[in-house]
Amino acid sequence: MLVVRRQIPLDDVGQIGGGEERGVVGHGHRFAEIQSSLGVAPNLLSARLKLLVEAGVLRTRTYQEPGSRHRLSYHLRPAGEELRIVLAALQQWADRHRPRPSGPSALRRVRSTGEAVGVGFVDEEGREVPYADVDFMVDPASGG
């Protein structure tokens, strides 16, 4: 998982994705679910989740199971949802250039049709633009 570990294998890059039904990072909403799935030390996970909440990537909700104290669950904010595009691009790159023997770490599909999709560049009218035809330039207005 990219946002929790400082160093990650490239095949883990795509694991943050998933909608509300799949949880914050595809590993559940609750701390114990996320920690168990990732195998990350609790103190490290706690610190990372706190940073993501402070950065506006995640929001917390309080829940309580019968007979237990109140706890927090973690949910993506709109900024976190937008990161899915970035992470999907990294996962797509990893699958192409550092493929896992077991296959892709995640599949990207259109919900309504099940058709495969990829991450790429599009122009203002929504047409795909080949990578070789994209220039990266400094915006003069940014002062850079």
Side-chain angles (χ1 to χ4, degrees), residues 67-142:
S68 296
R69 63 181 173 85
H70 284 49
R71 297 176 188 263
L72 297 177
S73 61
Y74 298 87
H75 305 267
L76 289 172
R77 289 181 159 276
E81 288 289 342
E82 288 181 30
L83 279 174
R84 294 173 63 202
I85 297 167
V86 175
L87 295 167
L90 288 169
Q91 183 256 329
Q92 180 176 289
W93 178 90
D95 287 342
R96 184 173 299 132
H97 298 284
R98 304 287 297 232
R100 296 172 359 153
S102 59
S105 55
L107 301 175
R108 295 166 307 282
R109 303 269 186 225
V110 176
R111 279 193 184 126
S112 60
T113 65
E115 190 176 348
V117 295
V119 180
F121 292 98
V122 294
D123 66 16
E124 291 178 354
E125 295 179 13
R127 293 181 301 243
E128 185 174 353
V129 178
Y131 177 78
D133 200 20
V134 176
D135 282 332
F136 292 84
M137 299 173 279
V138 175
D139 181 359
S142 71

Side-chain angles (χ1 to χ4, degrees), residues 13-29:
V13 167
Q15 297 305 313
I16 191 173
E20 193 70 15
E21 72 282 357
R22 285 193 57 214
V24 173
V25 289
H27 299 284
H29 294 290

